[in-house]
């Protein structure tokens, strides 16, 4: 195969991959817009939930399995609904909180979980 | 009722619940006085078609009246407090209708305090149920274990 033919094939493939990447970016953009809309409608509900759970755990000393499940669920919900409009730091805090809750809330991970919740609550306080 | 008063009331309810000054029971299991029974449901129009979730509604006696906590959801299969609305009301023994102190609305502070109160009440009632289970005789405890494992 001559180099000219090889070059033409490479050109054709790069045009095809450019078109495909345009399609992918378009889909991601559409998803992000949908998530922004959902965020605008539902952020306050999730914020209220996290605020209540934070007070239940650290002010009311409520650390039952049910409460921890609610907290983990809220974090999963945040991840599922807003991953495309979240910064890497947000995603890190969410994943870390979910990971720490897998072993349960205890003295060693309590402050980290609290930091994660505070960060996500601060993020949810921001209107899109 | 203005927001600050509502928040103060809910805060007091939370403190009293934590210190066991309020003894909450599930509304379905409580013998509500006849004068109250017809009047404590909210007008459905106020909650946009939400329905009352029986096991999620609570009552506590306070002096000569009742403190009522209602849970509403768009679907009876909802798992409170997720996706649910709440209403805290007080009923005296003279008035025909209860007075609403606070309910779920666009205010994040009130919503979070109502959810907090719901979780506290739910925990108190669950623990009380566990204690009753612990106090039953040996035969009953075996029966319960057997039933759960069947």
């Amino acid at each position: 195969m001559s180099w000219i033919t090889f070059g033409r094939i490479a050109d054709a493939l790069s045009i095809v991959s450019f078109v495909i990447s345009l399609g992918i970016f378009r889909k991601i953009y559409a998803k992000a817009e949908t998530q922004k809309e959902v965020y605008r409608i539902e952020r306050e509900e999730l914020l209220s939930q996290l605020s209540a759970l934070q007070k239940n755990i650290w002010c009311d000393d409520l650390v039952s399995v049910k409460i921890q499940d609610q907290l983990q669920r809220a974090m999963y919900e945040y991840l599922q609904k807003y991953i495309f409009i979240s910064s890497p730091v947000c995603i890190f805090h969410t994943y870390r909180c979910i990971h720490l809750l897998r072993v349960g809330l205890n003295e060693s991970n309590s402050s980290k979980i609290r930091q994660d919740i505070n960060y996500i609550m601060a993020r949810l306080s921001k209107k899109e | 009722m203005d927001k600050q008063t509502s928040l103060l009331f809910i805060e007091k309810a939370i403190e009293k619940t934590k210190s066991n000054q309020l003894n909450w029971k599930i509304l379905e299991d409580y013998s509500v006085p006849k004068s109250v029974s017809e009047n404590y449901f909210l007008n459905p129009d106020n909650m946009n078609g939400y329905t009352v979730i029986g096991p999620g509604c609570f009552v506590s006696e306070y002096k000569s009246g009742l403190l009522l906590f209602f849970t509403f959801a768009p679907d009876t299969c909802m798992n409170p407090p997720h996706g649910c609305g709440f209403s805290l009301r007080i009923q005296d023994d003279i008035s025909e209708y209860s007075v609403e102190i606070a309910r779920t609305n666009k205010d994040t502070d009130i919503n979070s305090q109502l959810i907090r109160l719901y979780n506290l009440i739910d925990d108190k009632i669950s623990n009380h149920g566990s204690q009753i289970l612990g106090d039953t005789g040996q035969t009953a405890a075996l029966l319960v274990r057997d039933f759960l494992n069947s």
Side-chain angles (χ1 to χ4, degrees), chain B:
Chain B
M1 192 173 279
D2 65 284
K3 180 183 167 178
Q4 288 310 314
T5 311
S6 297
L7 281 172
L8 183 62
F9 194 102
I10 302 171
E11 188 64 44
K12 287 278 184 192
I14 288 169
E15 291 305 320
K16 288 184 189 301
T17 304
K18 279 161 68 172
S19 60
N20 295 319
Q21 289 177 56
L22 288 175
N23 185 15
W24 293 96
K25 298 178 179 61
I26 297 176
L27 190 58
E28 281 181 337
D29 301 335
Y30 185 77
S31 301
V32 181
K34 188 73 176 143
S35 59
V36 177
S37 61
E38 302 299 322
N39 304 324
Y40 58 72
F41 287 113
L42 275 179
N43 184 337
D45 292 339
N46 291 339
M47 274 286 185
N48 296 325
Y50 278 31
T51 52
V52 173
I53 297 184
C57 296
F58 310 108
V59 60
S60 173
E61 288 169 3
Y62 179 72
K63 293 194 175 170
S64 61
L66 297 172
L67 219 54
L68 302 158
F69 190 91
F70 292 102
T71 303
F72 296 82
D75 189 326
T76 49
C77 299
M78 292 294 282
N79 190 18
H82 187 73
C84 295
F86 303 102
S87 173
L88 181 63
R89 304 170 72 82
I90 194 160
Q91 172 82 52
D92 62 21
D93 56 355
I94 301 170
S95 307
E96 190 181 357
Y97 297 102
S98 56
V99 171
E100 187 174 62
I101 306 297
R103 65 154 134 155
T104 301
N105 54 29
K106 291 192 188 311
D107 192 298
T108 316
D109 294 330
I110 289 185
N111 292 347
S112 69
Q113 288 292 75
L114 285 172
I115 295 171
R116 184 184 171 193
L117 180 58
Y118 173 87
N119 285 332
L120 267 170
I121 297 171
D122 188 51
D123 185 68
K124 288 282 178 190
I125 289 179
S126 303
N127 286 343
H128 182 62
S130 304
Q131 278 171 8
I132 290 172
L133 211 60
D135 290 342
T136 54
Q138 192 66 17
T139 316
L142 285 170
L143 204 59
V144 167
R145 201 176 308 131
D146 184 61
F147 184 85
L148 290 170
N149 290 329
S150 64

Side-chain angles (χ1 to χ4, degrees), chain A residues 41-84:
Chain A
I41 297 165
E42 296 183 8
R43 73 171 180 92
E44 284 176 345
E45 187 186 330
L46 193 53
L47 180 58
S48 302
Q49 218 177 327
L50 282 175
S51 174
L53 288 169
Q54 187 193 46
K55 286 173 191 161
N56 278 137
I57 293 171
W58 283 284
C59 300
D60 306 332
D61 289 326
L62 223 58
V63 287
S64 64
V65 170
K66 209 171 177 179
I67 293 291
Q68 291 183 49
D69 281 349
Q70 278 185 41
L71 181 57
Q72 197 177 43
R73 183 182 172 169
M75 286 299 176
Y76 275 128
E77 190 176 330
Y78 177 85
L79 210 58
Q80 295 287 335
K81 286 184 176 178
Y82 312 126
I83 190 163
F84 284 112

Side-chain angles (χ1 to χ4, degrees), chain A residues 58 96 106-116:
Chain A
W58 283 284
R96 188 176 76 167
N106 53 50
E107 276 178 27
S108 60
N109 62 24
S110 174
S111 66
K112 284 182 185 169
I113 290 174
R114 195 171 178 175
Q115 278 169 25
D116 294 335

